[in-house]
Amino acid sequence: MDNLSGGEKTVAALALLFAIHSYQPAPFFVLDEIDAALDNTNIGKVSRYISAQTKDEFQCIVISLKEDFFSTADMLVGITAKPGDCTVTKVVTVDLTKYGSAMQAAGAGPAAGAAGKPVSHDDEDLAAEE
């Protein structure tokens, strides 16, 4: 293991995690920046695998900053600071499932070019967005 790169170690750890899952299933995963050490090719492979598995096998929350990973998502959730006040945050969610069929027909991932209006969980922000 010492001779493996960071990306190879990540792929090995994910393979072990999903092998254990096939033996002893868990209904839910939270994966935090598993794509940090991966190159774009492996990000695509891992994101497609997780996307396929979440259709029937389990639910998954993936925390990622890389577009190649979250472009295969069904929903995006963002946490952002309010302008001028870094101590107050708000949650913004975008459901990409309603854009998925149109984007996939165009040959892109669900998030590519999706112009969905963010849904804020703060009533004041909803009024400001309209």
Side-chain angles (χ1 to χ4, degrees), residues 8 10 14 37 45 54-55 67 69 78 89 94-95 102 104 126:
E8 291 168 332
T10 299
L14 289 172
K45 290 176 183 178
T54 56
K55 301 291 185 228
E67 183 178 350
F69 207 98
T89 60
V94 179
D95 182 359
Q104 289 170 352
L126 283 175

Side-chain angles (χ1 to χ4, degrees), residues 95-107:
D95 182 359
L96 301 174
T97 56
K98 54 186 157 188
Y99 304 103
S101 59
M103 292 295 120
Q104 289 170 352

Side-chain angles (χ1 to χ4, degrees), residues 5 19 34 44 50 52 65-66 70 84-87 92 96 100 110 118 122 126:
S5 70
I34 58 170
I50 290 173
L65 298 175
K66 296 188 179 179
F70 61 76
D85 188 1
C86 64
T87 61
V92 179
L96 301 174
D122 186 343
L126 283 175

